[in-house]
Amino acid sequence: MSYALRSYEFWLTFYRRTWRGSVATSIVNPVFYLGALGIGLGTLVNKSGTTPDGVEYIAFVAPGVLAATAMQIATNEAMWPVLGSIRWTRGYYAMLATPLQIRHIVFGHQAWMATRVVSSCAVYLAVIAAFGAIHSPLGVLALPACFLIGVAFSAPMAAYSATLENDAAFIVVNRFAVIPMFLFSGTFFPISRLPQVLRWVAYLTPSWHGVDLCRSLTLGRVDWGLAVVHVAYLAALAVTGLVFALRTYRRRLMK
Amino acid sequence: MTTIALPRGAALFERNARAHRSHFLIIFSGFFEPLFYLLSMGVGLGHFVGKVPGPNGELISYASFIAPALLATAAMNGAIYDSSSVFWKMKYMKLYDSVLSTPLGPIDVAVGETSWALFRGLLYAIAFLTTVSVLGHVHSAWAVLALPAALLVGFAFAGMGIAGATFMRTWQDFEFLNLVQLPMFLFSATFYPLSVYPGWLQVVVRCTPLYNAISLIRGLMLGVVGWYQLVNVLYLLLFGAIGVRIAERRVGKLLLR
Amino acid sequence: MNAAAELPLVHARGLIKRFDDLVAVDGIDFDVQKGEAFGFLGPNGAGKSSTMRMIGCVSPPSGGTLRVLGLDPVKNGADIRAQLGVVPQEDTLDLELTVRENMLIYGRYFGLGRKVVHERAERLLEFVQLEERLDSKVEPLSGGMKRRLTIARSLINEPDILLLDEPTTGLDPQARHVVWDRLHELKHRGATLLLTTHYMDEAEQLCDRLVVMDKGKIAAEGSPVELIRRYSTREVVELRFAAERPPDDLAARIDGLARRVETLSGRLLLYTDDGDRTAERVHELGVQAQSTLVRRSTLEDVFLHLTGRTLVDE
């Protein structure tokens, strides 16, 4: 594992030069989202009488956006940086020229992506708490949940990125997968509002499992049976993604 | 001397059109983003929001309220997205180095790139407006003017976007762009009426470019039109003109040194 | 032709380029005549590219006089550029377009009609032997092919002057020869070439006349043969040693055997008119060199003599 740490260290060093922008983003974005949707839009929702899940809107939307953020950071970190390390900066090849092996490259980079996800989500969770939108001490567990969501997205995405020739597919993935998941898997309104067919589609998305898990934790309304399903689903996705990533990385880098 | 009939930026427009032929899906997909937002926020969340007051106080459905805002935002995002490609072309592809070794100058680059961004924006606006009217969220014949209005919004942000792109040093700097873009998107009376804010904050929001864009297009699509839209138009014209001017100067300064 | 034909195509007097407090070009004079192949030879950072960019009207001079085609680059930039072909140091090909489209769009930048551009593009791509890659994307092309495409592209407007900034830097020997071959062909057709290089063989191959630049100044000017005759000897004896430095007393011992002796890392250069004779006398002195080489003098030797440094880092 110490070899994977060396690869991790590369990403950490790289990030040191460029951290300002993303730190600002990861602190300010949650404040913006919670301010606009939780408070601004929340005013309208709370006034209308019926709120989703019967809680004030900010408490409903905040964990949803938290899970969605984990998803978005994870997918983005597994897109351009991965393809770039193969095609443009060729950083992976530089690592391969050392004693590092494919698995160290994969795990090191995945660990780095998880770091980005967890650190941003930790800030986010703190902001949610400051807004008074965490209703249960179980909310702390939302952080490991975000870690799980992150890997469930970053591993399969990295596996896919390693097969690409150019970045055109990323925009399509963002627009037809990431954004629809962001908008329709229970982040802003319960999926019970979706037509029957779409609801079943939503049940299949990892983002819904993530959102529902996080929300049940911060609201303190955990159905442990369902929670196990969520965790198992996300974990299965993460492990499958890692297995595939090992394979696609090897095929791409060792040919 | 070579005669040049068309505006010289036209060649750059043609270049972009050719370069995007193989990215058809990307252009096509751009249309879905505002539509997804409309369905999610307008329809899904709209159930919980209920009716909201429109620009003249009349209660309208939530989807009708946010549809114009999404159109305006799409015009803004499209223009800014294109300007991020300007960064790539300038810094990594060195496209403009070759352009400027021909008779074209910085102003032609600014005009060519802006007109391309506008053209794409117009395509999106037509598609979105058609869809929205089919879904029944267009309430007035004035809505036809939302097309040129969307074009104006695109112009306003394209110039500024290209200007902004010239200040970027690395891709990571685009996070700072996000720091401007996201709050504008969230707070410019996009998802809820201005009346939610305390008085002083209302004044601040009224001064932002996206608010003016949304106010203009919302007025047109809902058929609530007055002199205030004229203020919006002037604001956007001025904002765009300043942007193009800065863009021209910056391109010149960076590449002609 | 009228009297204007006798005016130099490029005319510079006291030309200066400053970047903040760095003086890249420090008051240089030169003239380039029609039909000439004129070179700027010098190491990296000598001011060659800055000079080229000023001639290409994409970099305003900080001082002095510069006339290109009789016009002022600052005032008439667009008009001058319409008559120039530019091959920049780094390829600036459009990676999002095909080979043919690169030609077409570039021609369109000059405001040329579609038909004209099509016809010229075909002809020029044939000229640079890329006719089989017409519809290929640019990215998979080899370095040499990209370079040739850049050259073809620079000819689309049938320029009066072709500016080539290090046309073969980074190419393998074979690709270099193909590029040289094409440039020779252009020369024979009467094109005016301006090129920068830090390869003396390239300068000897291509240039009718050249200036040697060092630290923003012109150190010498003339044809390759003239420069060698003026600043060097006919032949050079190179003594190579295994050690980093030749033995300290060596230079003193062989002093007098050659007109001039240069001490480099692991090498000793003896400038002489009869290389074989000098080499013999060195051996008679019992000097133990790892190897001895007698060769003709090159521009490298001229540069070494003028600046005390080698041109290309070894």
Side-chain angles (χ1 to χ4, degrees):
Chain A
M1 209 56 210
S2 72
Y3 279 109
L5 267 178
R6 297 182 196 170
S7 144
Y8 179 88
E9 204 178 326
F10 162 80
W11 293 105
L12 186 67
T13 313
F14 181 73
Y15 188 65
R16 264 195 212 138
R17 289 191 287 129
T18 56
W19 58 276
R20 281 183 195 81
S22 54
V23 164
T25 309
S26 63
I27 295 175
V28 174
N29 275 9
V31 178
F32 286 160
Y33 265 107
L34 293 183
L37 300 175
I39 297 180
L41 187 57
T43 318
L44 297 183
V45 177
N46 297 340
K47 227 173 14 192
S48 75
T50 50
T51 58
D53 285 9
V55 292
E56 49 177 13
Y57 189 59
I58 191 168
F60 176 85
V61 79
V65 177
L66 172 70
T69 303
M71 163 181 82
Q72 285 182 321
I73 294 178
T75 35
N76 271 314
E77 288 287 321
M79 285 179 169
W80 283 274
V82 170
L83 185 59
S85 306
I86 294 169
R87 298 240 28 198
W88 303 306
T89 67
R90 300 177 65 82
Y92 285 160
Y93 290 100
M95 292 177 194
L96 262 189
T98 72
L100 297 190
Q101 293 175 348
I102 295 281
R103 61 175 191 279
H104 307 128
I105 294 176
V106 171
F107 290 137
H109 202 172
Q110 286 293 328
W112 170 249
M113 296 175 198
T115 307
R116 291 272 291 125
V117 168
V118 171
S119 57
S120 294
C121 286
V123 175
Y124 209 145
L125 207 57
V127 174
I128 299 177
F131 274 89
I134 294 182
H135 290 183
S136 155
L138 282 175
V140 178
L141 290 178
L143 197 58
C146 285
F147 166 77
L148 195 55
I149 298 169
V151 185
F153 277 96
S154 64
M157 189 65 222
Y160 176 59
S161 298
T163 66
L164 295 174
E165 282 305 319
N166 61 55
D167 62 348
F170 292 154
I171 294 168
V172 177
V173 168
N174 257 328
R175 283 189 173 146
F176 290 118
V178 177
I179 288 177
M181 280 200 266
F182 175 59
L183 290 171
F184 295 104
S185 46
T187 321
F188 299 105
F189 57 91
I191 60 171
S192 59
R193 291 302 308 161
L194 290 173
Q196 188 78 48
V197 184
L198 290 181
R199 204 181 311 162
W200 279 102
V201 176
Y203 284 139
L204 292 178
T205 61
S207 54
W208 175 73
H209 291 279
V211 167
D212 202 64
L213 181 60
C214 284
R215 186 172 289 140
S216 69
L217 291 167
T218 59
L219 291 181
R221 299 173 179 177
V222 185
D223 171 342
W224 290 104
L226 189 57
V228 169
V229 173
H230 291 327
V231 170
Y233 184 91
L234 293 169
L237 204 58
V239 171
T240 315
L242 287 173
V243 170
F244 271 96
L246 286 172
R247 191 182 296 179
T248 58
Y249 271 58
R250 178 162 294 120
R251 207 172 281 165
R252 183 66 177 269
L253 299 173
M254 303 287 270
K255 65 177 174 198
Chain B
M1 295 278 128
T2 319
T3 50
I4 290 145
L6 275 171
R8 289 187 286 200
L12 204 53
F13 183 95
E14 186 184 337
R15 184 249 156 226
N16 286 337
R18 280 178 182 273
H20 278 84
R21 256 184 339 197
S22 51
H23 301 314
F24 170 75
L25 195 59
I26 293 180
I27 297 205
F28 176 71
S29 68
F31 159 68
F32 285 92
E33 197 166 322
L35 185 64
F36 287 151
Y37 266 93
L38 181 68
L39 293 177
S40 168
M41 310 295 271
V43 182
L45 182 60
H47 169 79
F48 297 98
V49 179
K51 301 249 174 207
V52 291
N56 59 349
E58 192 189 334
L59 289 178
I60 54 174
S61 80
Y62 187 57
S64 295
F65 179 80
I66 66 167
L70 293 173
L71 177 56
T73 308
M76 169 181 87
N77 286 341
I80 292 180
Y81 170 78
D82 274 325
S83 56
S84 71
S85 81
V86 167
F87 169 78
W88 186 71
K89 289 175 191 165
M90 180 153 69
K91 195 117 179 164
Y92 294 102
M93 220 170 82
K94 310 265 178 210
L95 175 71
Y96 305 127
D97 286 297
S98 75
V99 171
L100 292 177
S101 68
T102 73
L104 272 64
I107 184 70
D108 304 305
V109 171
V111 169
E113 290 293 353
T114 309
S115 57
W116 170 251
L118 290 191
F119 173 73
R120 272 177 68 164
L122 184 65
L123 290 186
Y124 289 153
I126 292 173
F128 186 72
L129 207 59
T130 313
T131 315
V132 170
S133 62
V134 169
L135 293 176
H137 299 301
V138 168
H139 300 268
S140 152
W142 283 102
V144 174
L145 288 183
L147 282 185
L151 213 53
L152 175 61
V153 174
F155 165 73
F157 286 99
M160 221 36 116
I162 296 171
T166 62
F167 286 97
M168 305 286 174
R169 293 155 304 171
T170 67
W171 282 114
Q172 279 74 24
D173 281 347
F174 277 89
E175 302 246 11
F176 290 107
L177 183 67
N178 183 44
L179 283 182
V180 180
Q181 216 173 336
L182 185 71
M184 274 213 291
F185 171 53
L186 291 172
F187 292 104
S188 302
T190 326
F191 293 111
Y192 43 87
L194 213 48
S195 57
V196 165
Y197 293 125
W200 64 271
L201 204 51
Q202 290 188 18
V203 176
V204 174
V205 174
R206 273 179 199 281
C207 294
T208 65
L210 186 60
Y211 174 79
N212 280 272
I214 292 175
S215 158
L216 172 62
I217 293 181
R218 187 172 277 153
L220 292 169
M221 279 175 68
L222 296 174
V224 185
V225 179
W227 62 267
Y228 190 68
Q229 265 75 38
L230 218 59
V231 176
N232 300 147
V233 169
L234 286 177
Y235 179 105
L236 294 169
L237 274 176
L238 193 68
F239 189 75
I242 295 174
V244 172
R245 185 89 183 95
I246 299 178
E248 183 211 344
R249 288 198 156 199
R250 288 287 303 171
V251 170
K253 195 169 166 192
L254 288 181
L255 298 178
L256 301 179
R257 54 193 304 257
Chain C
M1 285 299 251
N2 54 23
E6 267 118 61
L7 280 176
L9 292 192
V10 183
H11 169 82
R13 287 294 174 271
L15 186 60
I16 294 171
K17 182 70 197 182
R18 238 179 261 116
F19 297 105
D20 301 321
D21 44 2
L22 171 88
V23 183
V25 178
D26 194 3
I28 61 173
D29 305 338
F30 62 89
D31 288 300
V32 181
Q33 306 296 339
K34 191 171 162 53
E36 196 173 27
F38 187 88
F40 295 90
L41 178 75
N44 291 331
K48 305 184 305 279
S49 291
S50 299
T51 308
M52 285 297 239
R53 285 172 50 79
M54 285 192 279
I55 300 170
C57 312
V58 288
S59 172
S62 320
T65 315
L66 179 65
R67 290 287 174 275
V68 182
L69 300 163
L71 299 170
D72 179 351
V74 176
K75 282 193 219 122
N76 306 101
D79 293 331
I80 297 173
R81 290 198 302 269
Q83 310 298 318
L84 296 183
V86 178
V87 177
Q89 197 175 107
E90 279 173 68
D91 286 319
T92 55
L93 293 165
D94 198 322
L95 300 180
E96 294 183 304
L97 301 179
T98 64
V99 168
R100 189 205 304 263
E101 284 177 328
N102 260 282
M103 301 290 288
L104 297 184
I105 292 296
Y106 200 70
R108 300 287 292 152
Y109 293 151
F110 284 91
L112 298 170
R114 251 165 243 285
K115 240 183 91 181
V116 180
V117 185
H118 265 285
E119 183 267 312
R120 283 188 196 170
E122 301 241 321
R123 189 158 43 78
L124 289 169
L125 288 173
E126 203 175 311
F127 172 69
V128 296
Q129 296 152 16
L130 282 174
E131 67 271 29
E132 272 158 29
R133 305 302 292 265
L134 279 181
D135 294 308
S136 159
K137 285 255 177 201
V138 168
E139 220 185 341
L141 297 185
S142 71
M145 287 175 166
K146 283 184 185 153
R147 213 64 193 141
R148 268 140 56 201
L149 176 56
T150 305
I151 291 172
R153 192 182 69 168
S154 72
L155 296 170
I156 195 85
N157 59 328
E158 303 193 328
D160 293 340
I161 308 175
L162 192 57
L163 305 180
L164 303 129
D165 198 355
E166 298 189 9
T168 65
T169 297
L171 299 188
D172 66 48
Q174 227 172 348
R176 289 179 80 195
H177 278 283
V178 180
V179 170
W180 283 349
D181 182 55
R182 296 298 83 190
L183 295 177
H184 268 297
E185 175 69 28
L186 286 173
K187 241 178 90 170
H188 285 306
R189 295 184 192 177
T192 307
L193 306 182
L194 249 80
L195 64 111
T196 72
T197 182
H198 52 227
Y199 298 122
M200 48 275 160
D201 51 347
E202 183 158 280
E204 289 193 60
Q205 280 264 346
L206 294 173
C207 298
D208 302 323
R209 208 153 58 82
L210 57 97
V211 290
V212 177
M213 284 189 79
D214 185 43
K215 295 176 181 160
K217 290 192 157 77
I218 290 180
E221 180 183 346
S223 72
V225 179
E226 271 169 28
L227 287 173
I228 292 170
R229 198 178 325 140
R230 204 178 321 148
Y231 295 103
S232 187
T233 49
R234 211 170 67 84
E235 293 188 325
V236 186
V237 178
E238 281 197 32
L239 302 177
R240 290 182 181 266
F241 298 89
E244 182 79 351
R245 294 181 57 78
D248 281 336
D249 61 327
L250 193 60
R253 275 167 66 196
I254 59 176
D255 196 30
L257 293 188
R259 284 221 253 150
R260 192 160 55 82
V261 177
E262 290 280 358
T263 311
L264 302 176
S265 159
R267 278 195 299 164
L268 218 57
L269 303 186
L270 284 73
Y271 290 90
T272 169
D273 286 322
D274 186 346
D276 288 330
R277 174 84 196 101
T278 308
E280 249 171 61
R281 292 177 59 192
V282 169
H283 285 287
E284 283 163 19
L285 282 176
V287 174
Q288 292 296 311
Q290 197 182 39
S291 68
T292 309
L293 171 74
V294 179
R295 60 166 175 81
R296 275 181 54 223
S297 215
T298 67
L299 285 172
E300 168 88 57
D301 302 307
V302 173
F303 190 81
L304 184 63
H305 175 67
L306 289 170
T307 68
R309 290 172 294 127
T310 48
L311 193 51
V312 185
D313 300 327
E314 285 181 50

